[in-house]
Amino acid sequence: SLSTQGPLSSALAAEICGAWADVYFEAGEASKAVETYDMACQAADAANDIDMEEVALLYTKRGLALAEAGDLEEALKDHEQARSLAEEHSFLQSSLGADILVNMGIAKANGQLLEEAVADFEAALQVLEETEMLDTEMGARVFQDLSIAQKQLGDMEGAQESEANARQILDLCEDTEPDG
């Protein structure tokens, strides 16, 4: 157990535990990642002087690990907590805010909450458009996720339009890459 003596060390403990949890998650060890993200979130919640974007990122990452471990209900709670923090601290309209919305959408799609997933993907696209990041690889990925959910809902026309938007953005990204 990490010793946490005050706000600075709680923030540092959150950062260290979060980094270890990332390693576990990337290694495919979802249950160890969840345990370690739990420690990171507890330390972050105890910290007085911590960047709230970092706290939201920990919650959305723990949500991803929970979903991977098969606990969709808790995963959705963590994604919702991350979204609440993003709204409360005014960073929902950012790249991180879009990531949070996409992660929520993916979790909901995996749980067959397809209409809600589509709404989250569309909200993420709105954030990307407002922040002038729609024409990026992230924008293309969100259009692809939206297309999959639309297909599962039987909205073939919407799915084709979303897939076409993804291809158009990817073509644009390839055209703007510097020659190697």
Side-chain angles (χ1 to χ4, degrees), residues 17-73:
C17 289
W20 272 110
D22 291 346
V23 170
Y24 287 132
F25 187 73
E26 292 298 320
E29 297 185 40
S31 59
K32 282 187 180 180
V34 169
E35 288 177 28
T36 314
Y37 282 129
D38 284 345
M39 289 188 284
C41 289
Q42 288 171 3
D45 290 341
N48 295 328
D49 184 24
I50 191 165
D51 181 353
M52 294 312 290
E53 290 184 27
E54 291 299 318
V55 177
L57 185 59
L58 286 173
Y59 275 100
T60 198
K61 286 180 171 184
R62 184 171 71 180
L64 292 171
L66 283 161
E68 187 74 24
D71 192 346
L72 183 64
E73 188 176 327

Side-chain angles (χ1 to χ4, degrees), residues 37-145:
Y37 282 129
D38 284 345
M39 289 188 284
C41 289
Q42 288 171 3
D45 290 341
N48 295 328
D49 184 24
I50 191 165
D51 181 353
M52 294 312 290
E53 290 184 27
E54 291 299 318
V55 177
L57 185 59
L58 286 173
Y59 275 100
T60 198
K61 286 180 171 184
R62 184 171 71 180
L64 292 171
L66 283 161
E68 187 74 24
D71 192 346
L72 183 64
E73 188 176 327
E74 289 301 313
L76 290 174
K77 287 180 186 176
D78 272 1
H79 290 308
E80 193 54 54
Q81 175 69 17
R83 181 185 182 146
S84 294
L85 287 169
E87 287 174 343
E88 182 182 336
H89 295 278
S90 303
F91 57 86
L92 189 59
Q93 304 297 359
S94 69
S95 175
L96 176 57
D99 273 340
I100 290 168
L101 291 166
V102 169
N103 291 338
M104 284 181 65
I106 290 170
K108 288 175 182 175
N110 289 338
Q112 297 304 306
L113 303 170
L114 297 172
E115 291 90 357
E116 293 179 37
V118 166
D120 289 333
F121 295 139
E122 289 174 343
L125 289 169
Q126 183 70 35
V127 168
L128 292 174
E129 185 174 16
E130 290 171 6
T131 57
E132 298 182 4
M133 296 186 308
L134 188 60
D135 292 336
T136 63
E137 287 185 18
M138 181 178 182
R141 190 188 59 184
V142 178
F143 272 118
Q144 288 170 333
D145 291 336

Side-chain angles (χ1 to χ4, degrees), residues 5-19:
Q5 301 173 342
L8 182 60
S9 42
S10 291
L12 183 58
E15 185 178 338
I16 292 167
C17 289

